[in-house]
Amino acid sequence: MRLLNAHQRFRPITLERPKALLPLANVPMIEYVLEFLASNGVEEVFVFCCAHAEQITSYLEQSAWSSTSGFVVHTIVSTNCISAGEALRLIDHRHVVRADFVLVHGDVVANMDLRRALKAHGDRRKKEKLAIMTMCFKPVTRQLREDRLGESNLVVVTDPAIDRVLHYEAHAAPSDFPFSPSAKAPAKPQLAPVALDASLFSDHANVRVRTDVLDCNVDICAPEVLYLFTDNFDYQNIRRDFVVGTLNERELGNNIYAHFLEQREYAVRVDSLRTYDAVSRDVVGRWAYPMTPDANALPRGERSTYAHAFANAYREKNARVAASATVGPGTVLGEGCAIGERSSVEASTLGRGAVVGADCDVRGSYVQSNVTIHDGARVTSAFLCEDVVVHAGAVVGKGAVLSYGVVVGAGHVVADYARLSLATQPARDEDEYDSDEDGLEVGSLPGDGRRVSLGGSAGGSGFGRGEAHAFGSDDDQGSETAATLEGGSAFLLTDCERAALQKARQGLPSGRAGVVRGGGGRGRRRASVAPPRERPEEPVAFFRGAPGRVARGRRVRRRRRRGLGRRGVASARRGRER
């Protein structure tokens, strides 16, 4: 079972929370990379923050990393950068790095021996000053790289005598086809042709063409890397622009080398929901040891209370499982979670405080903290964020993503690969720069409750420069338009929307309108929950109204406009009958 197609990013989740703080095996992903660096002797770390910078800085200030002896974490905040190239240019302008450094993404899970790679890079730099970068690669099989991780088909050409990289080219994985429910069996995939410069074979005695490696996105760089990014404003993507450009400009003499991991070493970047699924299974399966739930290493400063059982099942203290419930292999149960009678949970991760009712079936899914799944619900290979409520008898289809606070009504069926969110989704053009390839998240919702659109209005504003606007319309007045921050999330809800959402969480009917008696015997229509006057770009229906009562209310209003009350209508009918 896989969570999602390859190259599908983390939206709409990252509109409300940075990817580095998303839990993987109930631990924020930034904890994995910081523990990896600290365990390899790194003493100073600069965390570059773009979107949701306030969330990342607040997390780091409150974590044990702020008081760890011999390990200092600095944050560099810039909300204007839209690419890794701009971030590296900003770092160069601030003069914070003037020696060899490790460039790693905040979503990398690794247990590799970084000291061995640093030593090889340092020894090489003593002999060759133009050895500006060492890239880390993990030898893997095609099935692991393409079918399981969904990574691109990578071609790396090296000089085997000195491990110098001569050619770097990435193509879409041959097994990567866009998901389409109505699509028929696709044609047999064909690998893209690889064109190599003939001079590579004349300049080097031996040339090795490798298609069995995975790019770990862990690089050891010299300060010259920052200078090259500053001198070349066309460099935006690290791999596609800088690495390929440096290899093509051989007359400058800058060289890039490769470092290959050993069999027991592990390093993978979580750049999509598909790799999130694969890396989560590897962590639970102890392939990334000691990065496991029971190793008492993550998060730093908190002693783990997980107990490791047979078939890689982990259970934290105070996790309650009913006697008739079934907990299968590859399951992680956080503290305070509860599983009801006759329910089955298999190959899934349940966050702290998650509740699974009776007769439920949860398979291959990732359920974050404080999620409630009521009796008889079925969740298969889905991603449920915090505070999601799935009511009784509902079905969440394969690959579905439910963002923060989404409520699924009783008996409702969420389609396969659907993505539901209470936040307005920004428009985006296909030809715009894909910042997520380099780990930057731009245009997401800021913490002060403003909405940000990536594409802007029809007049056209730059990528990442969209205007901020409130959710409600400008015409709304009174208490129904009082903007209230719901649960500390990154978007605003009006009072009517907040009331409807609260009723949906409790499973109560909402949106019903009727006629009540007022003064003077005249009726007036009152709606307990009124729909918003301006529909969002991608509305999420979390309550159902009563169309029969609404229609009757409309007929009464039409009769009143004609000057006929209820008694007048009745006398008119008796006159027609006579």
Side-chain angles (χ1 to χ4, degrees):
M1 293 181 294
R2 297 184 178 89
L3 192 64
L4 277 178
N5 256 9
H7 305 299
Q8 291 184 342
R9 305 305 181 183
F10 284 80
R11 286 185 178 174
I13 302 173
T14 50
L15 290 175
E16 305 175 49
R17 184 166 299 181
K19 183 171 59 174
L21 295 185
L22 293 182
L24 189 147
N26 290 339
V27 174
M29 282 193 281
I30 195 173
E31 290 283 346
Y32 289 94
V33 66
L34 291 178
E35 184 65 33
F36 159 65
L37 295 173
S39 61
N40 281 278
V42 176
E43 299 178 353
E44 191 173 19
V45 175
F46 293 88
V47 180
F48 189 89
C49 309
C50 188
H52 306 294
E54 68 284 352
Q55 296 186 33
I56 297 178
T57 55
S58 176
Y59 177 84
L60 293 176
E61 290 173 356
Q62 298 175 10
S63 67
W65 297 109
S66 60
S67 58
T68 301
S69 177
F71 190 82
V72 182
V73 180
H74 307 279
T75 56
I76 301 176
V77 177
S78 175
T79 58
N80 297 324
C81 293
I82 63 173
S83 68
E86 292 190 6
L88 293 176
R89 282 187 281 272
L90 178 61
I91 292 175
D92 183 38
H93 291 162
R94 295 193 179 185
H95 305 287
V96 297
V97 177
R98 281 294 175 262
D100 291 357
F101 61 96
V102 179
L103 182 62
V104 59
H105 293 280
D107 51 7
V108 170
V109 178
N111 67 353
M112 60 172 286
D113 186 4
L114 186 60
R115 290 187 177 90
R116 186 168 64 91
L118 288 170
K119 184 179 184 304
H121 177 81
D123 295 343
R124 195 179 294 118
R125 286 276 292 172
K126 293 178 182 179
K127 302 176 183 178
E128 181 184 355
K129 292 300 182 182
L130 293 179
I132 61 174
M133 177 183 282
T134 299
M135 304 173 63
C136 296
F137 297 96
K138 169 68 176 177
V140 296
T141 62
R142 182 203 64 82
Q143 182 180 8
L144 175 63
R145 183 186 64 242
E146 298 172 7
D147 295 346
R148 191 161 185 262
L149 295 176
E151 293 293 332
S152 59
N153 182 270
L154 183 62
V155 179
V156 178
V157 181
T158 63
D159 185 340
I162 56 177
D163 286 337
R164 177 184 167 187
V165 179
L166 307 176
H167 184 82
Y168 182 97
E169 187 174 350
H171 298 282
S175 59
D176 177 23
F177 291 95
F179 174 80
S180 177
S182 60
K184 297 182 180 179
K188 184 177 180 180
Q190 298 292 332
L191 285 173
V194 178
L196 301 179
D197 193 346
S199 61
L200 295 179
F201 300 93
S202 60
D203 296 343
H204 302 272
N206 296 310
V207 174
R208 175 180 295 174
V209 181
R210 302 197 62 167
T211 61
D212 62 337
V213 293
L214 173 70
D215 192 343
C216 301
N217 288 277
V218 178
D219 306 321
I220 304 172
C221 306
E224 288 80 0
V225 172
L226 298 178
Y227 306 155
L228 290 173
F229 270 97
T230 301
D231 295 339
N232 297 272
F233 282 88
D234 293 337
Y235 288 171
Q236 301 293 334
N237 185 281
I238 297 176
R239 295 295 187 264
R240 187 171 58 245
D241 298 333
F242 174 76
V243 172
V244 174
T246 301
L247 296 178
N248 291 336
E249 296 175 351
R250 285 175 287 177
E251 61 276 4
L252 298 180
N254 296 320
N255 296 323
I256 299 177
Y257 288 84
H259 174 78
F260 297 98
L261 275 63
E262 295 181 351
Q263 182 178 2
R264 293 183 177 275
E265 294 180 306
Y266 185 93
V268 179
R269 183 192 172 197
V270 183
D271 60 350
S272 67
L273 284 171
R274 185 168 180 175
T275 54
Y276 179 95
D277 178 50
V279 174
S280 296
R281 296 176 186 273
D282 289 342
V283 170
V284 173
R286 310 181 77 79
W287 291 101
Y289 188 86
M291 305 297 182
T292 57
D294 64 322
N296 295 327
L298 299 172
R300 175 63 69 96
E302 296 184 14
R303 182 168 180 81
S304 173
T305 60
Y306 281 99
H308 179 221
F310 176 74
N312 293 326
Y314 303 85
R315 184 182 301 184
E316 203 170 8
K317 67 176 183 179
N318 298 329
R320 303 184 303 276
V321 180
S324 58
T326 303
V327 177
T331 302
V332 180
L333 304 181
E335 181 180 1
C337 69
I339 301 177
E341 298 287 346
R342 300 174 302 280
S343 292
S344 175
V345 179
E346 182 177 344
S348 301
T349 298
L350 271 61
R352 293 181 174 180
V355 177
V356 178
D359 301 309
C360 295
D361 189 10
V362 181
R363 296 179 182 274
S365 299
Y366 300 94
V367 180
Q368 294 185 9
S369 301
N370 301 321
V371 172
T372 303
I373 302 176
H374 287 274
D375 298 348
R378 290 189 291 119
V379 181
T380 305
S381 300
F383 196 104
L384 277 59
C385 294
E386 294 178 5
D387 300 321
V388 167
V389 178
V390 180
H391 282 292
V395 177
V396 181
K398 178 178 63 176
V401 178
L402 307 185
S403 190
Y404 300 94
V406 170
V407 179
V408 181
H412 184 73
V413 178
V414 178
D416 293 350
Y417 298 95
R419 298 196 177 193
L420 305 182
S421 174
L422 299 181
T424 302
Q425 306 305 301
R428 180 179 175 183
D429 297 332
E430 293 295 333
D431 57 348
E432 289 175 330
Y433 174 76
D434 188 3
S435 63
D436 196 55
E437 291 186 8
D438 277 334
L440 291 180
E441 300 161 7
V442 297
S444 52
L445 298 177
D448 57 0
R450 293 178 293 119
R451 298 262 184 185
V452 177
S453 173
L454 291 180
S457 61
S461 58
F463 179 74
R465 305 292 195 273
E467 298 179 355
H469 58 281
F471 182 79
S473 63
D474 295 335
D475 299 332
D476 293 339
Q477 301 291 336
S479 61
E480 291 186 355
T481 63
T484 304
L485 190 62
E486 171 70 13
S489 59
F491 56 93
L492 296 177
L493 295 178
T494 61
D495 281 354
C496 62
E497 293 168 340
R498 186 160 53 91
L501 181 60
Q502 184 62 27
K503 287 191 175 184
R505 292 180 188 277
Q506 300 173 1
L508 300 176
S510 57
R512 296 180 179 271
V515 177
V516 297
R517 288 292 179 182
R522 300 179 61 88
R524 59 185 178 91
R525 180 176 178 271
R526 181 181 66 185
S528 59
V529 179
R533 299 185 182 182
E534 180 180 353
R535 299 186 63 180
E537 297 177 11
E538 290 187 15
V540 178
F542 50 81
F543 66 90
R544 300 180 63 182
R549 293 192 178 185
V550 174
R552 287 195 296 273
R554 291 173 181 171
R555 289 196 296 268
V556 170
R557 289 197 301 275
R558 286 196 297 267
R559 292 165 184 168
R560 290 173 184 170
R561 285 196 294 267
R562 292 198 299 254
L564 297 175
R566 290 181 178 271
R567 296 180 180 178
V569 173
S571 60
R573 288 179 178 174
R574 286 195 296 271
R576 285 196 300 270
E577 293 175 358
R578 289 196 294 268

